[in-house]
Amino acid sequence: MDEQQNAAYYKRLIEEAGSYHDLVILRSRYFGLVDRTLTKDEAQEVKDRWNAKAKDEHLPIAPASKA
């Protein structure tokens, strides 16, 4: 399986997101691909990780360079 089609790859991208804005960009670019290329369980794990990160109260809304 290609690295970009691996659940761990998407989870790593989510963890590396530095702001909510970054998370929204990841969601808009990759969630369709996640649904098409991963199993339902893997896709749900990625989405759950995204939701958990998005709810982090310490996560800034905008990237530091745009805040």
Side-chain angles (χ1 to χ4, degrees), residues 37-65:
T37 59
L38 301 178
T39 66
K40 286 184 180 185
D41 289 339
E42 289 174 327
Q44 191 59 51
E45 286 177 20
V46 170
K47 291 176 182 181
D48 290 345
R49 178 75 57 95
W50 188 95
N51 284 326
K53 177 87 177 200
K55 291 177 182 179
D56 181 353
E57 294 177 7
H58 302 292
L59 186 68
I61 299 295
S65 63

Side-chain angles (χ1 to χ4, degrees), residues 8-65:
Y9 172 78
Y10 297 114
K11 290 176 185 178
R12 189 175 68 243
L13 288 177
I14 291 167
E15 290 306 312
E16 292 174 356
S19 69
Y20 183 76
H21 178 263
D22 295 340
L23 285 176
V24 170
I25 290 171
L26 286 171
R27 182 183 63 198
S28 69
R29 289 186 181 168
Y30 292 113
F31 272 27
L33 184 61
V34 165
D35 287 333
R36 289 190 307 272
T37 59
L38 301 178
T39 66
K40 286 184 180 185
D41 289 339
E42 289 174 327
Q44 191 59 51
E45 286 177 20
V46 170
K47 291 176 182 181
D48 290 345
R49 178 75 57 95
W50 188 95
N51 284 326
K53 177 87 177 200
K55 291 177 182 179
D56 181 353
E57 294 177 7
H58 302 292
L59 186 68
I61 299 295
S65 63

